[in-house]
Amino acid sequence: MSADAHAPASPLAEWRDARGNRVLAPAGIGGLSTVFKGAGCTLEIDARARLGAVTVEFHGSNAHCRIGAGGPDGSFTALIRLGQWLRVRRPAGVQAQLLDAHLAAAVPPRLGVLVVPDARAPGGAQATVHSLAAHARPGLRVQARVAGAPVDAAGSIDMQPLPWDERDPAGALNAAIAGWDVGWLLVVEAGAEFTAGGLARLAVALAASGSLRALFADEWYRDAAGNTAPALRPDLNLDLLLGSPCAMAGHWVFRRDAVLAAGGFDRAHAGAHELDLVLRLLERDGLDGIGHLAEPLLVCAPPRRADAAQRSAIARHLHARGYEQAQVHEAGPGLHRIDYGHPAQPRVSLIVLAPDSLAVLERCVLSILEHTAWPDYELLLVDNASTPEVRDWMHQVAGLAAGRVRVVATTGPLAPSTARNLAAADASGVFCLFLDADAAAVQPQWLHALLNHGLRPEVGIVGARTVAADGTVTHAGLLPGLREGAGRMFLGKPMQAGGYMDRLRVAQDCSAVSGSCLLVERGLFDQLGGFDAAAFPDAGADVDLCLRAGALGRLVVCTPEALLLHGPEPAPLPEPAFDALCERWLPALARDPAYNPNLRLDVAAGFELEQSELTWDPLPWRPLPRVLALPSDGHGSGHYRVLQPFAALRAAGTIDGAACPRPLDVVEVERFAPDVLVMQRRVADADLARLRRLHRFSPAFKVYELDDWLPDLPAANIHRRHMPRDVARRLREGLAHADRFVVSTPALAEACAGWHADIRVAENRLDPRHWSALPAPGKRAGKPRVGWAGGVSHDGDLAVIAEVVRALAGEVDWVFFGMCPEPLRRHVAEFHPGVPIGQYPRALAALGLDLAVAPLQDHPFNTCKSNLRLLEYGACGYPVVCSDLPPYRGDLPATRVRNRRQDWIEAIRMHLADRPASLAAGQALRAAVRRDWMLEGAGLDAWRRAWLPD
């Protein structure tokens, strides 16, 4: 049975229209705007769900969330549980046992938590300490020193008062840590609450800390009104730290020895003493030894701004690093723009490949000549077998702008990467700037802005922000793992937008920037061997160059201060280019340090929250096989063949992992890093392309799951018209990329014989959590209740008994559940529409049937089916009359009949004539199902053997 998901409403925020009615209505630009109340809220959007049309986007640290969802009719039909994202992240069951055993075997980390006053949360220290006590793992030894009024004792937390002086917070902190016997320190404001998942992950990280000097975690901000939004940080990002310290410099966990070695907290930077300490750690030992825990550790108030104190700390840091002329300017509330004050102004060689369009080239060249204030640059126009018109124009410009413009001719039409390398070899500049011909300069200081970062010795490559003519962002840094290489940060966002965590407003480090505007120091370019034209002749060379620079320890920076016009919609990477990137850089694509693993990789602009189960990993040392299950659906075969066995195996402590309702590409799978990948019924073109890549690049053991004989669907089956005509070929192609083929019945295995070398049968079974405690059918007054349950694909099966239904309509009350063809509706006493799969067992049992029927059309498709319907009826205690066909033969007690009208009528009347015997038959079937057909014991172990490698 299938139905759309649904859950009881518990709204803590709502929308109302102009008349005050509670509705879901468009707001803003094609979306919905609202806020979420409380850290653990559940928000329901009134719906008849068309899930998958839902997006969740978080904006800045002001705790504002925008929700967008919609179907083709404009209805907003989705259920969103934002609070559940956090609730999933609690160690429980086997996970908790393994976690605590792992920590017990390690040297217990000793964490000291300093709870300091916050005027925004008077009396909030109680909530902070109690959350710490409630969620700290036994293997993490926690002590707390609390400023302000005494708080009640909380569990095993060792609490002491913290003498506090508002005029000298740094001094109070230094005094507290001076003789404290702890290994790690964390300063939090009163009112902040610890999360269960964050403390669990922190305990594991500190137990295996090695050379770690400090780490920072993610957070959820909660403002005074209770509005919440996640702050999901990238890994250590030097430029983002300097440009937006509010987003990056709060609530770090410091090794106590490292704090003391750095001189403790500095009184000179009150309001920004934690930022200053972080910067001094970086000055002392560089960027190594700083970790990022990609897990929300705290639900807390948004950071308090201290702009002047932050600018003072940043300026001190820059001067200490040798930037004596550096200045820190305001870039917005809590944001900073740095002028590094470089005295040098070296020559820059701008390299532009001439396009076929003269108009495009003219715009580019004239914009550069008119809007470039940098004093020393040359413009190299690359004649790569240009048209005569373009070639003549380039030489005319070179003649008019002598010494500024040169033409570099290639030996013929070369691949773009080869042509760029050739031009770079002829360049005279200290820096090379590769620029697309369809880009245009619009501000005189654009090259100054690029060199402001390019001249820093720690920086290798710099990119600009580009916008289209309509003012939307076309480039603000690349996320190479996003959308199979096609993703760009904030693509399509308004240029005035701040972006997630204000990352559009300040310079930040990226894994890569686009070759549409890419500045690189000539010596580094030569050291890297230029663009890899052999592997990336046409596309992808810019990403590869940036990743190779990063591997040498050089930063790749994208700055919004360098603004260019560049309108074309970025094209997806060609398949060969993306494959080449995966071959060389797949782990880097999947774990981009400029992104956060809790954010999705399948959205073009990035920064949307990922399914919580896909990113929750409390057991990083892998004590169990990690399984990634990809069902074809969440209600029918996907439920019985993938989701249900997965949940049972995980609850039994046999596996760990997650199930995902959408297909994942090779980068997403690599990010999850499964030991086993279970894929169900993948036959579409996109599915086969994913399977090919997974076969080539993923080391996971791949299981292909199939539950039906798809090459021969019955004519009446509603899914037949959607099935590709060459489905058998597609199945065999998909199986060529799998390590094992798992089917539901021996008959299906026989039908697929020869398609794969390792075919296993895992029979359908019922989850005892849902099916073993159903109430027995009770006696009802009136005519006997004879019922059928099924879905829209069972028209052909119902046709077997259509005449039987009509013939017995006067003797019995027919009860149909899930689907009822219109011609039979007048003969049916009760029709119950489908329900969500989670409600289906109890809804089926609640029908109170005296007899259940299971007709099956005699067809090769049905020959390969399982006995699932008998199992469901039997779990409810219903006696059954069924078609005498292979799926229903065997040891289960049921009355089997040939598919003839009179045989069906006689069997039904036989049951109704001897009600005690019929009741006993139902009880016998129930006992057999409970004994032999539940997902437990040997039956569950059969699934384990089917999925896991031998």
Side-chain angles (χ1 to χ4, degrees), residues 196-482:
L199 278 174
R201 292 284 307 278
L202 179 63
V204 173
L206 296 185
S209 56
S211 60
L212 203 65
R213 295 179 290 138
L215 65 80
F216 58 94
D218 298 336
E219 300 179 332
W220 278 52
Y221 294 151
R222 179 177 58 203
D223 66 13
N227 307 321
T228 65
L232 303 176
R233 296 161 161 170
D235 289 352
L236 181 59
N237 192 308
L238 179 61
D239 284 272
L240 189 60
L241 173 66
L242 297 174
S244 182
C246 285
M248 292 294 294
H251 302 138
W252 280 43
V253 180
F254 299 99
R255 191 184 288 273
R256 178 177 171 273
D257 290 347
V259 174
L260 296 179
F265 295 96
D266 191 343
R267 288 183 169 93
H269 298 287
H273 45 258
E274 186 166 0
L275 168 64
D276 176 69
L277 175 58
V278 169
L279 296 177
R280 279 186 284 119
L281 289 179
L282 301 184
E283 295 160 27
R284 180 182 174 89
D285 294 304
L287 303 182
D288 293 334
I290 307 297
H292 171 218
L293 186 67
E295 184 68 36
L297 177 62
L298 294 168
V299 178
C300 56
R304 287 176 292 190
R305 287 176 47 203
D307 294 7
Q310 288 175 353
R311 286 195 288 272
S312 174
I314 294 168
R316 182 211 59 75
H317 165 73
L318 294 172
H319 297 160
R321 285 173 50 202
Y323 298 109
E324 298 178 358
Q325 303 302 316
Q327 298 181 7
V328 185
H329 305 284
E330 180 182 352
L335 305 175
H336 312 291
R337 177 177 56 82
I338 297 171
D339 179 354
Y340 285 86
H342 304 292
Q345 290 186 324
R347 166 164 282 212
V348 182
S349 297
L350 282 64
I351 298 172
V352 178
L353 299 189
D356 290 337
S357 170
L358 178 57
V360 168
L361 183 61
E362 282 181 335
R363 186 187 73 157
C364 175
V365 171
L366 294 179
S367 75
I368 292 171
L369 296 176
E370 293 175 5
H371 299 295
T372 304
W374 189 260
D376 190 3
Y377 74 90
E378 64 171 351
L379 175 58
L380 304 185
L381 303 179
V382 183
D383 178 2
N384 190 26
S386 302
T387 64
E389 180 186 28
V390 169
R391 182 179 298 115
D392 291 345
W393 184 86
M394 287 192 292
H395 284 286
Q396 289 175 11
V397 171
L400 294 173
R404 182 70 83 183
V405 180
R406 288 195 291 129
V407 179
V408 178
T410 68
T411 57
L414 302 178
S417 295
T418 303
R420 284 181 162 182
N421 286 341
L422 186 149
D426 197 38
S428 63
V430 176
F431 285 85
C432 290
L433 174 64
F434 298 97
L435 192 68
D436 276 1
D438 47 16
V442 293
Q443 53 179 201
Q445 299 297 315
W446 69 279
L447 197 47
H448 283 77
L450 290 172
L451 270 298
N452 184 47
H453 296 284
L455 284 165
R456 295 161 52 192
E458 69 272 19
V459 172
I461 294 176
V462 188
R465 183 199 293 195
T466 64
V467 297
D470 63 358
T472 57
V473 173
T474 56
H475 177 266
L478 299 182
L479 292 169
L482 203 67

Side-chain angles (χ1 to χ4, degrees), residues 116-142:
V116 301
D118 189 337
R120 297 171 295 181
Q126 190 77 58
T128 301
V129 174
H130 278 212
S131 70
L132 184 59
H135 300 314
R137 308 307 303 178
L140 178 64
R141 295 180 182 174
V142 181

Side-chain angles (χ1 to χ4, degrees), residues 760-775:
R760 307 281 178 99
V761 176
E763 295 178 301
N764 284 328
R765 296 179 183 275
L766 300 182
D767 188 337
R769 296 172 299 176
H770 303 298
W771 291 96
S772 63
L774 297 175

